[in-house]
Amino acid sequence: MKRSTINILASYIDALHPIIYINHFDFKVIDDAIARVGAGVKCVEFNNALGIVDFMSKSPMRDCNLEQFLKLTMDDGFDQETFIILKDVHDELKSPKIISLLKRIAENNLYNDKYSATIFILSEITVIPRELENFITVFDIPLPTTNEILSIITDFINDLNITVEQDTIDEIAISFKGLNEFQIKQILNLAYQDGGCIDKDDKQLILKEKEQFIKKSGMLEIVSFSETFDDIGGLENLKEWLKRKAKVFFNLDKAIKFGVDVPKGIMIIGMPGCGKSLTAKATASLFEIPLVRLDVGRLLGKYVGESEENMRKALRLSEAISPCVLWIDEIEKAFAGVGGDGGGNEVTTRLFGQFLTWMQEKENTVFIVATANDISRMPPEFLRKGRFDELFFVDLPNGEERKKILDIHLKKRNKWHKGIDSVALIKETDGFNGADLEAVVKDTIEMAFIDGKDAITTKDLIKTVKDTKSISNTLKDKIAEIKATIEKIDIKPASKADSH
Ligand code: ATP
């Protein structure tokens, strides 16, 4: 573990933080750090499965429960400085007896000059009982910075005595952002075993493995995509706005020095199937950065404070991966019930507040793309200026846009030709969304193939159009509702006016 991290841990102990909660999966790393901070200090360890364990050798010493262990060791701090290390005891932290014992140790540490004992709680799950809130400090182990990643790679290469070009090291280091030291070493080992060397091809392996780690964390999902701005028909205002922000993003250092604010993100509200998700993907492609999706529903935990902890971790992870696009799909569902009564709503309200504060204060390069259909029940704080850089409304495509969308999907399948009468098609597809138009193209092409035709005609397309129930038919009421809500807020249209 890095020197700076160990120094922070030491400063917490010096500043009399009586209970230090370390949320980490790799206990070996933490044990090493505690041992380095606590040279000459008596270390007593309790393991949830084994009882008392010898801190140095890890051999089980005596089977007992946490209550018995704390009663046995709580006065050790009078004899000499003691570290009490508790592993995987998160489930025990609901017991009033355990809470009282921990509180007693913490109070002695704070108020009795003759007593010195620091409790370390090591667990991957954070449970902070209300009664101990004032005594507990959560210790976060920061993820390695780019420079630290570079030295991990260099150490690895030196240990193996292999030669790797600096260019390759630099490129690989960037791909490792967002992972901890243990994960980086694990992937480096895998890459080395795979080909007997480390080269640029390993970037793909790193990305795949990184996806795995991020997936396993269950907080964020890396979305793979191939869509670019050329795949979006219409939405010209929105695209122009994003292209301007891309210029800032590409020259961030210069832009900041010039006085430009770091772009925070956008909220795209509007009709289903009109290109909101498509825009999120194309934005990541335009900015040339990864797209990660945050699913707020997945953050909800069963313990008190667990959801907030998960949100904190997810946002921290997104910062570690940054620059990235953080996509929150159907944000109105994620924060449904905010401000309402009931336990579940209370948690959602707290998560929402946490997210808002993070957004308000954020100065990192995480660009948020929030997408939503129905915002009628969304908390108004969310829509206020200063949270997002801009709010855009994506309406059903106008005539010109419908033509562009049809062309895109025909060209994708190599079936576009000059003979297709766009004016006739525009007329027939009023009220169709992008997804409907894509379906029309797909179905027509399939039909032509089955009928043994080489090309498709305007007539074929119009026939499919007539057989298709557009969104304006199937979701009539919902569309009217969305329009009514939009009229009440200050929002920019994503599309330019139809020139037809
Ligand atoms: P929802 O609110 O239902 O999630 P959405 O607005 O996110 O919908 P998308 O997922 O972006 O809709 O669109 C669905 C599909 O419809 C896309 O994969 C794309 O093929 C097609 N599509 C929608 N809008 C457009 C567009 N403006 N240009 C090209 N294709 C489009």
Side-chain angles (χ1 to χ4, degrees):
M1 191 181 294
K2 289 162 282 165
R3 195 66 250 141
S4 57
T5 312
I6 293 170
N7 289 346
I8 301 169
L9 192 59
S11 70
Y12 278 13
I13 298 162
D14 287 346
L16 291 182
H17 287 284
I19 307 177
I20 300 175
Y21 206 120
I22 306 180
N23 185 269
H24 204 268
F25 67 96
D26 192 345
F27 290 176
K28 165 87 176 66
V29 171
I30 310 298
D31 277 346
D32 289 350
I34 293 176
R36 278 163 77 177
V37 175
V41 174
K42 178 179 180 185
C43 293
V44 288
E45 175 175 338
F46 176 82
N47 179 300
N48 195 36
L50 302 170
I52 305 175
V53 166
D54 181 76
F55 180 67
M56 295 314 284
S57 68
K58 301 294 158 207
S59 321
M61 309 263 287
R62 180 169 157 188
D63 195 9
C64 69
N65 63 30
L66 182 59
E67 186 184 332
Q68 290 162 333
F69 171 79
L70 290 174
K71 281 181 180 160
L72 271 174
T73 51
M74 67 185 181
D75 289 334
D76 287 5
F78 284 114
D79 302 330
Q80 74 173 101
E81 188 181 357
T82 307
F83 286 174
I84 299 174
I85 299 137
L86 310 177
K87 290 184 178 166
D88 284 328
V89 295
H90 48 267
D91 263 342
E92 307 289 329
L93 298 177
K94 285 169 234 142
S95 145
K97 276 193 181 166
I98 299 293
I99 292 173
S100 296
L101 284 164
L102 292 173
K103 199 167 169 181
R104 185 189 146 104
I105 298 171
E107 281 174 344
N108 264 337
N109 195 49
L110 283 175
Y111 307 121
N112 193 330
D113 288 345
K114 296 194 179 71
Y115 184 90
S116 172
T118 305
I119 300 165
F120 294 89
I121 300 177
L122 275 60
S123 171
E124 269 203 87
I125 298 169
T126 313
V127 178
I128 302 191
R130 289 254 181 276
E131 303 90 321
L132 295 178
E133 256 175 23
N134 292 325
F135 300 105
I136 293 184
T137 308
V138 178
F139 180 64
D140 263 327
I141 297 183
L143 291 167
T145 60
T146 309
N147 276 340
E148 284 158 353
I149 295 174
L150 280 169
S151 59
I152 297 172
I153 303 175
T154 316
D155 287 351
F156 182 86
I157 292 168
N158 290 342
D159 281 352
L160 284 174
N161 215 358
I162 51 173
T163 327
V164 182
E165 286 189 11
Q166 191 58 41
D167 242 24
T168 310
I169 299 179
D170 291 346
E171 268 193 41
I172 285 179
I174 293 170
S175 331
F176 273 133
K177 269 198 101 185
L179 299 181
N180 63 36
E181 188 171 342
F182 172 83
Q183 293 165 328
I184 295 171
K185 286 183 180 160
Q186 218 180 351
I187 298 179
L188 282 170
N189 262 317
L190 208 67
Y192 179 66
Q193 278 163 19
D194 200 33
C197 62
I198 306 279
D199 54 30
K200 284 190 181 163
D201 293 345
D202 288 325
K203 257 177 76 182
Q204 279 319 98
L205 175 81
I206 297 172
L207 274 180
K208 261 176 112 186
E209 289 298 313
K210 186 171 168 177
E211 261 179 48
Q212 277 294 317
F213 285 127
I214 290 171
K215 237 185 228 166
K216 274 190 225 157
S217 81
M219 315 270 167
L220 296 177
E221 175 198 353
I222 295 200
V223 183
S224 43
F225 59 86
S226 54
E227 290 84 347
T228 69
F229 261 36
D230 294 338
D231 294 303
I232 308 176
L235 311 186
E236 298 301 336
N237 285 340
L238 174 57
K239 285 197 285 195
E240 269 172 26
W241 187 90
L242 283 166
K243 279 181 188 158
R244 282 208 306 276
K245 293 289 165 189
K247 278 198 184 142
V248 178
F249 239 82
F250 281 141
N251 304 291
L252 211 50
D253 190 43
K254 269 192 203 154
I256 293 170
K257 283 185 186 141
F258 193 76
V260 180
D261 281 354
V262 180
K264 281 175 190 268
I266 41 165
M267 168 94 125
I268 311 175
I269 304 162
M271 302 301 175
C274 287
K276 298 187 297 296
S277 310
L278 193 58
T279 308
K281 292 174 189 164
T283 303
S285 147
L286 178 74
F287 289 13
E288 294 180 19
I289 53 179
L291 176 65
V292 286
R293 182 158 44 197
L294 172 70
D295 180 349
V296 179
R298 275 209 240 165
L299 303 181
L300 301 175
K302 53 182 188 294
Y303 299 106
V304 175
E306 196 185 345
S307 311
E308 291 90 326
E309 175 65 16
N310 287 344
M311 176 65 102
R312 206 171 59 84
K313 274 190 189 165
L315 297 177
R316 209 166 72 107
L317 190 57
S318 76
E319 285 175 25
I321 304 168
S322 67
C324 66
V325 171
L326 184 68
W327 175 25
I328 312 171
D329 198 14
E330 302 195 314
I331 196 159
E332 75 276 33
K333 288 192 188 143
F335 293 118
V338 167
D341 298 328
N345 287 338
E346 237 176 65
V347 174
T348 322
T349 306
R350 278 208 300 272
L351 287 185
F352 178 68
Q354 204 182 343
F355 186 72
L356 279 192
T357 314
W358 179 77
M359 269 201 83
Q360 186 89 1
E361 291 169 0
K362 90 181 191 64
E363 279 172 6
N364 51 50
T365 47
V366 177
F367 185 81
I368 299 169
V369 176
T371 51
N373 279 148
D374 177 10
I375 51 149
S376 56
R377 274 174 300 148
M378 277 210 55
E381 301 96 283
F382 216 45
L383 308 172
R384 230 175 263 153
K385 280 258 155 128
R387 306 278 188 217
F388 292 96
D389 297 316
E390 201 54 82
L391 269 60
F392 279 99
F393 173 54
V394 175
D395 204 345
L396 289 173
N398 59 40
E400 204 171 324
E401 291 181 313
R402 294 200 295 281
K403 172 189 161 9
K404 285 182 181 157
I405 297 172
L406 282 168
D407 286 353
I408 285 171
H409 290 288
L410 285 166
K411 280 180 186 163
K412 251 192 199 168
R413 292 166 178 80
N414 288 326
K415 290 290 172 288
W416 183 87
H417 57 87
K418 276 187 191 155
I420 288 176
D421 179 357
S422 27
V423 177
L425 281 166
I426 290 173
K427 246 197 213 155
E428 298 291 337
T429 52
D430 192 23
F432 277 53
N433 68 5
D436 292 333
L437 296 168
E438 184 186 13
V440 164
V441 170
K442 271 193 195 167
D443 292 350
T444 311
I445 294 176
E446 187 187 85
M447 198 72 81
F449 175 77
I450 293 168
D451 293 345
K453 292 183 187 168
D454 289 336
I456 59 166
T457 63
T458 311
K459 221 170 126 193
D460 296 332
L461 285 162
I462 290 180
K463 183 174 177 316
T464 321
V465 167
K466 296 222 190 281
D467 292 341
T468 306
K469 267 212 155 82
S470 76
I471 185 171
S472 306
N473 284 314
T474 50
L475 288 179
K476 207 170 170 188
D477 295 344
K478 189 167 180 192
I479 288 178
E481 253 174 55
I482 296 176
K483 282 222 153 151
T485 325
I486 288 299
E487 272 161 23
K488 290 184 217 141
I489 60 169
D490 179 16
I491 188 165
K492 278 198 173 151
S495 308
K496 283 213 162 108
D498 195 357
S499 61
H500 274 252

